[in-house]
Amino acid sequence: MVTGGWLIVIFLIAIAILLITIIKFKVNAFIALLVTTIGTGLMVRMPVSDISKVIGNGFGNTLGSIGVIIGLGVMLGRFLYESGGIEVIADTFLKRFNGSKSRIAVAMAGFITGIPVFGDVVHIMYAPMVRVISKKTKVSIVSLCCATVCATVATGAMVIPTPNPMAVAENLQLDYGVFFLYAALAGLFGTIVGGLGYGRFLDWQDRKNHHEYAFEDIEDFEKESRTSTAGRKVPGFGVAVSILLVPIMLILFGSFGPMILPEGGTLVKILNFVGDKNIAMLIGVIYAALVSLPYLQKPVGDVMNDAAGQVGLVLLITGSGGAFGKMLQSTGIADFIAASLSQFHIPVLVLCFIIAQILRCAQGSTGVALITTSSMFAPLIAASGISPVLCGIAICAGGIGLSLPNDSGFWAINRFYKISVEDTIRAWTIGGFITGVAALVFVCILSVFQAHLPGLL
């Protein structure tokens, strides 16, 4: 095995292989991660048989711990989508916050539905609606787009049960309920600063520069929307939100209940059972299926099958990311890098953010950035004295911003919201970066009080 400074060189070569395969040759992230993992093992002269074992253990351990909850989380989001719950949540906020406050409405809708539903799905559903709102209220479409996408990515990258933050929580062995609570607060702060604050500035900027946008296709969308929703039965706002809240509340009860209840009691045992991440999500999916039944336009089994098809690639990428992380640990690269970086006296929270941000910016995938960073820094975080929960949130915050044209999400937002590349950079690239930095600032503030806040240490 190779030791010393060559480990840094090998790591840089490995990252270069990952970037080149994804960016230059457009290889799927699953294959790119496996190729990089094997290449890393060969470069440190690890026996081929050991390389195979490391990949198997890393892949299997990662999916063994979060594979079930990822699948159930996607099903939960699918029921919210198929029942019409997403439209109900959006419409409710729009009725409450209309006119000049429409930016708050789309941000709140994006923040809530971004938790269980994949970002691209939210963009597809919300973009036409946001454009209609922009036309009616005269609020800049770039401003509304910024509020929507920053809110969505804040929860999508930071809040369980979405796959990427779950992978971070598992790599750092975090309590899911505690992680959810503080990540949601950090995401909300990031949304307020990046989505609403910066979004307001974008609206002011467009008004000052008399920047106008075309909405020729809006009438066709409104006509199609009225036709598709006419006579359809949809759930109420409370029912729609409960689909999301039931599993989350069970996980929270399971995390914080034992902190305040007598140890060893029957109620504590019950909370530990129903609050387990897998049990809570299973209960949530069963509940979602039951309450969604009157509003579905297809059988429950078909909804679950659609979700299963959607989750396949997510599981492969997550598992291969776990294999790469295991290789970094097994070869000693992770420990050496952590020890080397600690000599620069960069605060651990900032370091977690920076590395995740660099990887996110370089290769375009939030998942790859978060899984790689959390795997690499797990030993450093454990020995740092800083709350692992806050470090995990800092990593997730680093996976948000500076989305460049090498990111498929960049073009999804550009295409669905029908804005220029320059406006996409203003709304999404810069807006997302501000959101991530704001979340990091919030985490740094929490770290000052970590000894006094429940669950952080």
Side-chain angles (χ1 to χ4, degrees):
M1 300 283 284
V2 178
T3 59
W6 281 108
L7 291 176
I8 293 287
V9 175
I10 291 172
F11 172 70
L12 294 176
I13 294 174
I15 295 299
I17 293 173
L18 182 64
L19 296 179
I20 291 171
T21 51
I22 292 177
I23 298 173
K24 176 67 175 177
F25 297 106
K26 310 298 183 184
V27 176
N28 182 273
F30 165 60
I31 300 298
L33 281 164
L34 287 183
V35 169
T36 303
T37 302
I38 294 171
T40 303
L42 292 174
M43 284 187 287
V44 299
R45 301 174 188 172
M46 178 181 286
V48 176
S49 58
D50 290 346
I51 293 176
S52 179
K53 290 179 181 178
V54 169
I55 292 175
N57 290 337
F59 194 97
N61 291 341
T62 300
L63 292 189
S65 57
I66 63 173
V68 173
I69 192 173
I70 287 178
L72 293 173
V74 174
M75 286 187 183
L76 191 77
R78 197 74 192 181
F79 278 115
L80 187 62
Y81 170 74
E82 295 288 352
S83 65
I86 293 181
E87 294 98 321
V88 170
I89 292 173
D91 290 343
T92 301
F93 283 125
L94 287 171
K95 290 176 182 177
R96 188 70 179 270
F97 301 97
N98 51 28
S100 61
K101 296 181 179 179
S102 56
R103 194 165 31 246
I104 299 176
V106 296
M108 293 177 70
F111 187 84
I112 292 177
T113 56
I115 297 175
V117 183
F118 285 115
D120 284 355
V121 175
V122 177
H123 300 328
I124 292 170
M125 294 191 61
Y126 282 1
M129 175 190 69
V130 170
R131 299 185 73 242
V132 170
I133 296 170
S134 177
K135 180 183 179 183
K136 291 181 177 179
T137 63
K138 306 302 180 182
V139 176
S140 164
I141 179 62
V142 175
S143 172
L144 292 174
C145 171
C146 176
T148 308
V149 299
C150 287
T152 302
V153 74
T155 49
M158 300 177 70
V159 182
I160 62 171
T162 45
N164 295 331
M166 283 196 295
V168 172
E170 195 60 38
N171 284 340
L172 302 182
Q173 295 297 295
L174 305 178
D175 181 290
Y176 274 57
V178 174
F179 182 62
F180 168 84
L181 177 63
Y182 291 108
L185 291 174
L188 180 60
F189 184 79
T191 298
I192 292 172
V193 175
L196 296 179
Y198 174 66
R200 186 180 181 87
F201 167 76
L202 289 177
D203 185 52
W204 171 84
Q205 191 178 53
D206 279 353
R207 291 178 186 276
K208 178 183 177 182
N209 297 329
H210 304 289
H211 194 164
E212 297 182 356
Y213 301 90
F215 299 101
E216 291 88 354
D217 60 323
I218 290 300
E219 292 184 5
D220 292 338
F221 166 75
E222 291 179 302
K223 187 182 299 183
E224 292 176 7
S225 179
R226 287 191 296 267
T227 302
S228 63
T229 57
R232 182 184 176 184
K233 186 179 180 182
V234 294
F237 177 77
V239 173
V241 172
S242 71
I243 293 175
L244 174 61
L245 289 183
V246 165
I248 289 175
M249 294 307 296
L250 289 176
I251 291 174
L252 288 174
F253 288 149
S255 296
F256 290 97
M259 296 182 186
I260 59 177
L261 295 173
E263 187 176 352
T266 302
L267 183 56
V268 170
K269 293 178 181 178
I270 294 174
L271 289 178
N272 284 335
F273 175 73
V274 299
D276 175 82
K277 59 182 185 293
N278 293 321
I279 302 299
M281 289 301 298
L282 178 59
I283 293 173
V285 168
I286 294 173
Y287 172 81
L290 293 175
V291 300
S292 298
L293 195 58
Y295 314 107
L296 297 176
Q297 296 181 315
K298 60 175 66 175
V300 169
D302 289 351
V303 176
M304 291 183 173
N305 289 336
D306 291 343
Q310 187 180 20
V311 79
L313 185 57
V314 176
L315 290 176
L316 290 177
I317 294 175
T318 303
S320 59
F324 182 45
K326 186 69 173 178
M327 181 62 74
L328 293 177
Q329 293 175 2
S330 300
T331 57
I333 291 176
D335 290 335
F336 188 81
I337 290 175
S340 300
L341 290 173
S342 63
Q343 298 176 8
F344 293 98
H345 304 293
I346 301 174
V348 174
L349 291 173
V350 177
L351 190 60
C352 289
F353 176 88
I354 290 174
I355 299 302
Q357 184 79 109
I358 291 173
L359 292 175
R360 167 73 171 88
C361 181
Q363 49 78 45
S365 169
T366 297
V368 174
L370 300 190
I371 295 171
T372 302
T373 306
S374 57
S375 299
M376 187 193 317
F377 282 168
L380 174 63
I381 291 170
S384 68
I386 303 296
S387 167
V389 172
L390 297 182
C391 291
I393 300 173
I395 291 172
C396 292
I400 293 178
L402 289 183
S403 169
L404 300 177
N406 60 344
D407 173 19
S408 61
F410 181 97
W411 297 110
I413 290 168
N414 170 266
R415 182 171 66 255
F416 295 134
Y417 287 90
K418 299 184 185 299
I419 55 179
S420 67
V421 170
E422 179 184 352
D423 287 332
T424 305
I425 292 173
R426 292 168 63 214
W428 172 230
T429 305
I430 299 176
F433 178 70
I434 293 174
T435 301
V437 171
L440 173 65
V441 171
F442 184 83
V443 168
C444 291
I445 295 173
L446 289 183
S447 69
V448 177
F449 307 98
Q450 66 178 18
H452 307 287
L453 295 172
L456 290 185
L457 289 177

